[in-house]
Amino acid sequence: MTILVTGGAGFIGSNFVLDWVEQVGEPVVNLDALTYAGNRANLAALAGDARHTFVHGDICDRALVDRLLAEHRPRAIVHFAAESHVDRSISGPAEFMRTNVTGTFTLLEGARAHWGGLQGAEREAFRFHHVSTDEVYGSLAPDAPAFTEDHPYEPNSPYSASKAASDHLVRAWHHTYGLPVVTTNCSNNYGPFHFPEKLIPLMIVNALAGKPLPIYGDGQNVRDWLYVRDHCSGIRAVLAGGRLGETYNIGGWNEKTNLEIVHTVCDLLDELKPDAAGSYRRLITYVKDRPGHDRRYAIDARKVERELGWRPAETFDTGIRKTVRWYLDHTDWVQQVQSGAYRDWVSQQYGAERRA
Ligand code: NAD
Ligand code: TYD
């Protein structure tokens, strides 16, 4: 029994691979192109572990996908690989279309050919699990009910549009070809190995470096935050028991404004690593808003609880404390990811022209 994971050197994928080996113990083949967001150091704990096979390659490479499926005969594909950062999708959408749309299409075609050749129990058991986002549903008014699985798709950014397209492809491959798929749409994750271009890790690493904490617009945009290992357990639950062709929303029941998040990070750092210059809140800086910035996301995760008994294990208090501690304990990891490419992105994104 083996599974094929795509994008398993990224933030959520690497947490998933580590969690899978710990909790399930089955071998994992991990296909990742190692873009700026992929990092083999995330998987250092599995060095020398025969249950983890890393393959450096692109999900758009059909011949490679076919070869891996034929060689390893995985019982499932868990598809994380994507371009995932909204701001990058605004400044350069092409790569999002290639990986998120064409890459998902390529995997689906590889999976369809492979599954078509399976028989009996192996064919019955096969699953294609597509990992997606709540951003496909668009933006909620302040008092609107949280997104259910029936909410219309209204993606607003190039990132969310590319993920919405991939969700539609997965749906169609089930409807037309009978491919055994499940899709999960999850809210914002946070936790270890989160690349410091995203809100929470960026605030932690900037604060520790005494740099400004850039808040877009008025800081009142709302996200529903989920600790990454809870997302991993949600994926395991849906992979094991989700109904074929269904989508399941996964979320943390934890809506916070960006300003609340940044205040919490500053307060934890004030407690765990006080700075002689005063509270880290002094570094908060309002900058120009993201174009098309979605105001609010919130997930109604009752379906996955009702059908599969999944709920998050962490509260925001426990999860964010673990996360801040992890960054304090892994300054070597932070230094390693802050490569030249990362520095170029930060100066392009937060350069003088972006100050509010
Ligand atoms: P990430 O950007 O940290 O990691 C993406 C990984 O995919 C990297 O390791 C990268 O090298 C790899 N990759 C990119 N293009 C590839 C290609 N063409 N071929 C093979 N590998 C490629 O992303 P993440 O935050 O871990 O997100 C993983 C998945 O979860 C994505 O599909 C994303 O849409 C979804 N998601 C993320 C969040 C979140 O809060 N981060 C929330 C919900 C859903
Ligand atoms: P992000 O982590 O990029 O996730 P997403 O856009 O996928 O939700 O951003 C989370 C929120 O934080 C979003 O409302 C944008 C905001 N944000 C800032 O205010 N400043 C920043 O420097 C970043 C990266 C994000």
Side-chain angles (χ1 to χ4, degrees), residues 133-149:
T133 167
D134 59 357
E135 303 193 24
V136 297
Y137 299 125
S139 186
L140 286 170
D143 51 353
F147 299 127
T148 65
E149 290 78 0

Side-chain angles (χ1 to χ4, degrees), residues 125-199:
F126 187 79
R127 293 287 180 276
F128 185 102
H129 187 132
H130 179 55
V131 179
S132 192
T133 167
D134 59 357
E135 303 193 24
V136 297
Y137 299 125
S139 186
L140 286 170
D143 51 353
F147 299 127
T148 65
E149 290 78 0
D150 298 325
H151 195 281
Y153 269 43
E154 290 170 345
N156 291 319
S157 72
Y159 164 66
S160 55
S162 69
K163 291 297 291 188
S166 69
D167 292 8
H168 290 323
L169 292 176
V170 171
R171 176 192 156 87
W173 261 240
H174 174 69
H175 191 81
T176 301
Y177 303 113
L179 190 71
V181 308
V182 281
T183 294
T184 44
N185 293 88
C186 189
S187 61
N188 285 58
N189 285 213
Y190 67 98
F193 305 117
H194 205 182
F195 195 80
E197 65 185 352
K198 306 274 171 73
L199 180 72

Side-chain angles (χ1 to χ4, degrees), residues 10-12 32-33 35 38 58-59 80 84 99 132 159 163 187 189:
F11 163 46
I12 305 175
D32 196 296
T35 67
D58 195 322
I59 57 166
F80 294 92
S84 69
T99 287
S132 192
Y159 164 66
K163 291 297 291 188
S187 61
N189 285 213

Side-chain angles (χ1 to χ4, degrees), residues 84-87 135 159 188 197-200 202-203 214-216 221 223 225 258 290 293-294 297 350:
S84 69
H85 188 33
V86 174
D87 294 318
E135 303 193 24
Y159 164 66
N188 285 58
E197 65 185 352
K198 306 274 171 73
L199 180 72
I200 290 179
L202 184 79
M203 296 299 145
I215 305 227
Y216 298 166
N221 302 68
R223 299 291 184 262
W225 293 92
N258 294 338
R290 167 188 285 171
H293 195 175
D294 284 338
Y297 304 140
Y350 302 103

Side-chain angles (χ1 to χ4, degrees), residues 26-48:
E26 271 177 27
V28 180
V29 177
N30 183 353
L31 172 60
D32 196 296
L34 294 179
T35 67
Y36 79 92
N39 187 349
R40 290 207 62 177
N42 298 2
L43 299 156
L46 293 175

